[in-house]
Amino acid sequence: MNFIKKILGAKFLLCRNRNSVPVNPDQEIFADRNNSADMLKGILPEEVRTIACIAPGSYPGGESYPRGIKLLEQAGYKVKVMPHAFERPAKGQTSTRLESRLKDFYAAWLDPEVDMILCIRGGTGCGELMSKIDWQNLPQRHELYFQGYSDVTMILCALLKRNYGHPVAGAMVSSLQGLIPDALAAMHNMHHNCQVGPVDVIPLVPGDCEGLPLAGLLARLSVVVKTSDRPAVKDRIIFIESVSATLPEIRQQFKILLDEKFFDGARGVVFCCFTKTGAGENDIEELLQELAGQIGLPVYMRFPFGHQNISYTIDFQRKAVIKNNTVIFPVP
């Protein structure tokens, strides 16, 4: 697709965090104000008419969050903001009460009018929420989209493990405003069963592979792998991003995945955007090369997913194909 080819050069600059291309260093929290409602029209799946917005982790303070909700409404979606989404946390806390977040999760999930649950933001608290969900009293709702990324990785893994809902790793309410047009176009194509890619990636351990994806934040994957929410990765390609972790922390988080045999049965691994590491590009690439040699699978790097304004959307039910050093999500 032409819109992908146009950004190949810019993509690498963004993932490398160079100043020659406008970079939003954390588009979950610091959303750019460059997107209009017109740019969001029809971006979600055709069957999505009503969106429930929840804050499963950190409190969504700041004006970008209500602004994102307003843009979705102006784009033609019916938006239901769950009652406790903007409930202020107690002093010294980053999240509102667990009881409130649970009520909002249940209310959104059980509302038959809701076609998609879209997280307002991620942040601390998502894992705590998942540990208290009473899954036995929730319908599976395979048609219900659930979209988020970053700490929302904890929720996406739980859904995948239990075969609940339709998990999607993608921009949230605030970060929708910060995505560049090509990333919005890629989201549209992902949600409308159009081809996404080919997107060039760099081989660390060469080898073609294909499979359904799993995408998430390294720091949270290293936590969920030790819980009952650990998802099966058999025959999947694992897309991994990282933010605000130093190189020693990244090495330790990855070691947990290796020790827990997280990659066993997977088809391949793709390192995406590693941002706010405090290290230089060469040091990051050296570390990724080191880690790639320990997995025993085809490994690639620099797919545009993560805490950047060029972050692509990854639907866990859309097959990914890696061939000739490119990633393609073909038409189903």
Side-chain angles (χ1 to χ4, degrees):
M1 301 289 287
N2 289 334
F3 77 87
I4 298 291
K5 294 178 181 177
K6 283 191 284 187
I7 64 166
L8 288 179
K11 173 192 71 178
F12 296 152
L13 294 175
L14 283 161
C15 284
R16 289 182 171 188
N17 212 21
R18 290 181 178 170
N19 294 328
S20 55
V21 177
V23 175
N24 183 335
D26 190 342
Q27 42 109 353
E28 176 194 356
I29 301 172
F30 304 109
D32 294 333
R33 298 185 177 188
N34 57 351
N35 287 338
S36 67
D38 286 342
M39 298 178 73
L40 302 183
K41 286 182 178 178
I43 197 171
L44 300 177
E46 285 187 20
E47 58 268 38
V48 172
R49 297 288 185 270
T50 302
I51 303 168
C53 291
I54 67 172
S58 295
Y59 168 65
E63 60 187 28
S64 64
Y65 300 104
R67 181 177 182 273
I69 291 169
K70 184 176 180 180
L71 285 178
L72 287 168
E73 292 173 337
Q74 292 173 342
Y77 296 104
K78 181 176 181 179
V79 180
K80 294 186 176 183
V81 180
M82 293 297 100
H84 305 93
F86 288 95
E87 180 182 286
R88 290 184 177 276
K91 186 176 181 179
Q93 301 296 314
T94 59
S95 306
T96 192
R97 297 173 303 157
L98 174 60
E99 178 186 4
S100 296
R101 286 179 283 131
L102 281 169
K103 286 180 178 179
D104 282 358
F105 184 92
Y106 291 138
W109 195 276
L110 294 172
D111 187 338
E113 189 181 18
V114 170
D115 307 304
M116 171 182 275
I117 298 176
L118 182 61
C119 295
I120 299 174
R121 65 163 301 184
T124 305
C126 292
E128 178 191 37
L129 177 70
M130 284 300 93
S131 69
K132 299 299 182 182
I133 294 291
D134 182 3
W135 295 101
Q136 292 185 343
N137 288 319
L138 287 178
Q140 287 184 286
R141 295 203 65 183
H142 294 140
E143 80 289 352
L144 178 63
Y145 291 90
F146 192 105
Q147 183 164 311
Y149 81 113
S150 194
D151 284 52
V152 177
T153 295
M154 306 285 284
I155 302 177
L156 298 177
C157 285
L159 297 177
L160 185 61
K161 164 67 180 293
R162 293 169 171 77
N163 191 25
Y164 270 62
H166 187 146
V168 179
M172 296 178 278
V173 166
S174 179
S175 49
L176 279 171
Q177 303 164 73
L179 294 182
I180 66 170
D182 293 303
L184 290 175
M187 179 185 290
H188 174 278
N189 285 357
M190 182 65 73
H191 277 318
H192 289 78
N193 292 327
C194 302
Q195 178 173 307
V196 176
V199 179
D200 286 352
V201 287
I202 296 177
L204 298 177
V205 179
D208 295 344
C209 58
E210 62 179 66
L212 293 175
L214 183 160
L217 184 68
L218 175 59
R220 296 301 167 243
L221 290 173
S222 68
V223 173
V224 78
V225 72
K226 293 185 175 183
T227 73
S228 60
D229 292 329
R230 172 178 175 162
V233 301
K234 186 177 185 301
D235 297 330
R236 288 186 177 268
I237 298 176
I238 304 170
F239 291 76
I240 300 176
E241 62 127 341
S242 179
V243 64
S244 300
T246 64
L247 297 194
E249 289 170 338
I250 291 171
R251 184 179 278 108
Q252 178 59 31
Q253 292 161 4
F254 203 81
K255 183 178 184 300
I256 292 172
L257 296 184
L258 291 172
D259 290 347
E260 295 293 327
K261 303 185 184 302
F262 179 67
F263 299 105
D264 286 9
R267 296 288 182 87
V269 173
V270 180
F271 292 129
C272 304
C273 294
F274 281 60
T275 56
K276 295 185 179 181
T277 64
E281 297 171 17
N282 291 338
D283 292 331
I284 297 172
E285 292 186 11
E286 264 185 39
L287 175 59
L288 295 183
Q289 182 71 68
E290 171 195 326
L291 299 179
Q294 302 176 47
I295 300 175
L297 296 168
V299 183
Y300 293 81
M301 71 176 184
R302 291 198 195 150
F303 183 85
F305 167 72
H307 286 69
Q308 294 277 354
N309 55 6
I310 198 170
S311 185
Y312 280 21
T313 302
I314 300 176
D315 185 329
F316 287 15
Q317 295 183 16
R318 286 283 308 268
K319 183 175 76 170
V321 177
I322 303 179
K323 188 174 183 179
N324 298 327
N325 300 334
T326 65
V327 176
I328 297 175
F329 291 85
V331 175

